[in-house]
Amino acid sequence: MTPVLQTENLTKRFGRLVAVDGLNLEVYRGQVFGILGPNGSGKTTTLAMLLGVVKRTDGTYIWFGEGDHYELRKRIGAILEYPIFYPFLSAVDNLRITAHIKDVSRYDEEALMRLVGLYERRKDAYKTYSLGMKQRLAIATAMVGDPEVLILDEPTNGLDPQGIAEVRRLILEISAMGKTIILASHLLDEVQKVCTHFCVLQRGSKVYQGGVADTLNQKHRIEVYADDPETLHTVLKEYRAVKTMERKNGVIIIQGEELSTKALNQYLIEKGIIASHLARVHTNLEEQFLEILKENDR
């Protein structure tokens, strides 16, 4: 299957500063792809190059398996950094101006307003909108022309919890329409909840790429507690699936690639140990992200 987006050694230098360093990416149709990294890691610069806003220093990027020419960008909707609208005009007026700039003559204005939850406020001035409403209007304007790909730069940045939840819901709803979404974020929870795949940038370089679900399932950890912790520790050391062990507040946490709570419990019973606590520990993206950055700092 041809990638929707493919980059090869994509690089951007600002003088002596290397903002993006030899970036290789593949994004496929239907994915919600997160570009994750600390502030200053090159996320926005990467998106700007992909949209032709910033000229690349080296490398290539290919959209839809066809190239990087201007006409292909008509198949992409984007919000790069903070969106700007006319404050005294309504949502529909700002939407119409965007459609005129994009040279889109036909689009479903009502459907877009309902999609982003602004239909009831569509005739109110933009300056009366909350930050979350402004962001949702920006997404509506990016959807004018029915693009195949939607690019979002820090879509929930600065929003309150309700605004974050609304934008997340909207991203998932747009994804369910079959759109490919590429978003940049430094918020781990955002990527974990809406993305199917992601990469991690650190100082302009890609240090990891994978599926969100696969990444979270890479490491299996189980907490175990018994009345005789020393004997438990000795017995667990002999269990073939255990790769590492640590103790926290009397509980032993074991880690391995093929750990099963059922098989482990059976093993302990055979050794004469009754575990009073035995539970799988669910990994979150924050732990994985910090570990990825730590490994690449060595």
Side-chain angles (χ1 to χ4, degrees):
M1 185 168 57
T2 303
V4 169
L5 168 68
Q6 184 173 21
T7 74
E8 185 173 345
N9 296 320
L10 190 61
T11 301
K12 179 61 184 178
R13 299 186 188 90
F14 296 98
R16 296 170 61 184
L17 173 66
V18 182
V20 179
D21 189 8
L23 182 60
N24 296 312
L25 286 180
E26 287 188 349
V27 179
Y28 290 87
R29 192 171 303 279
Q31 290 182 347
V32 181
F33 191 95
I35 301 177
L36 183 60
N39 290 328
S41 59
K43 302 186 299 294
T44 298
T45 303
T46 296
L47 297 184
M49 284 192 286
L50 297 176
L51 291 168
V53 176
V54 170
K55 187 176 180 180
R56 63 185 182 270
T57 304
D58 201 358
T60 61
Y61 62 90
I62 299 173
W63 282 110
F64 311 107
E66 298 179 33
D68 62 359
H69 51 88
Y70 173 76
E71 285 298 313
L72 292 173
R73 289 198 281 277
K74 292 183 178 180
R75 297 160 64 180
I76 304 166
I79 306 171
L80 198 60
E81 297 189 311
Y82 190 75
I84 298 175
F85 294 103
Y86 291 98
F88 294 100
L89 295 184
S90 67
V92 292
D93 287 336
N94 274 294
L95 201 64
R96 289 166 185 168
I97 290 170
T98 300
H100 178 72
I101 293 170
K102 289 186 172 185
D103 195 25
V104 175
S105 57
R106 297 182 64 181
Y107 65 97
D108 194 332
E109 183 178 282
E110 179 179 334
L112 280 177
M113 289 290 95
R114 291 191 184 280
L115 173 67
V116 299
L118 293 176
Y119 184 75
E120 301 300 326
R121 296 285 306 275
R122 67 192 185 283
K123 295 183 180 180
D124 294 343
Y126 174 78
K127 68 186 181 80
T128 67
Y129 284 6
S130 68
L131 192 58
M133 293 169 67
K134 291 176 179 178
Q135 188 68 353
R136 284 183 278 133
L137 176 60
I139 293 175
T141 59
M143 291 288 288
V144 167
D146 193 25
E148 297 173 45
V149 176
L150 190 63
I151 292 180
L152 306 173
D153 185 18
E154 302 279 5
T156 60
N157 199 24
L159 301 185
D160 61 19
Q162 181 179 352
I164 291 172
E166 289 169 346
V167 170
R168 281 178 178 160
R169 174 200 59 79
L170 183 54
I171 290 171
L172 292 172
E173 192 169 339
I174 293 171
S175 172
M177 296 164 60
K179 306 295 183 185
T180 303
I181 300 174
I182 301 172
L183 65 89
S185 181
H186 65 277
L187 301 176
L188 301 156
D189 194 45
E190 177 178 287
V191 172
Q192 183 168 339
K193 287 183 176 178
V194 304
C195 292
T196 59
H197 297 76
F198 75 108
C199 72
V200 177
L201 299 187
Q202 186 177 26
R203 294 187 292 275
S205 298
K206 185 183 78 174
V207 295
Y208 184 84
Q209 180 173 347
V212 172
D214 292 339
T215 300
L216 294 179
N217 290 330
Q218 274 182 4
K219 294 184 177 178
H220 302 283
R221 296 188 298 167
I222 294 177
E223 291 181 339
V224 191
Y225 179 79
D227 292 336
D228 186 350
E230 295 305 322
T231 302
L232 174 63
H233 186 271
T234 302
V235 169
L236 287 174
K237 283 175 65 176
E238 299 170 355
Y239 190 53
R240 58 177 177 76
V242 174
K243 302 299 181 185
T244 63
M245 299 174 58
E246 63 175 313
R247 294 190 187 190
K248 283 188 177 180
N249 302 319
V251 176
I252 298 176
I253 302 173
I254 59 175
Q255 182 170 293
E257 294 180 0
E258 298 179 358
L259 281 174
S260 160
T261 53
K262 182 178 179 180
L264 177 61
N265 191 43
Q266 183 62 40
Y267 169 77
L268 293 176
I269 291 172
E270 291 172 358
K271 295 294 183 178
I273 297 175
I274 304 299
S276 55
H277 173 77
L278 194 156
R280 185 173 296 280
V281 180
H282 295 284
T283 305
N284 60 46
L285 195 59
E286 180 176 6
E287 293 173 350
Q288 295 289 71
F289 175 72
L290 294 175
E291 188 169 326
I292 290 166
L293 294 185
K294 184 178 179 181
E295 287 175 355
N296 285 275
D297 267 338
R298 291 171 184 169

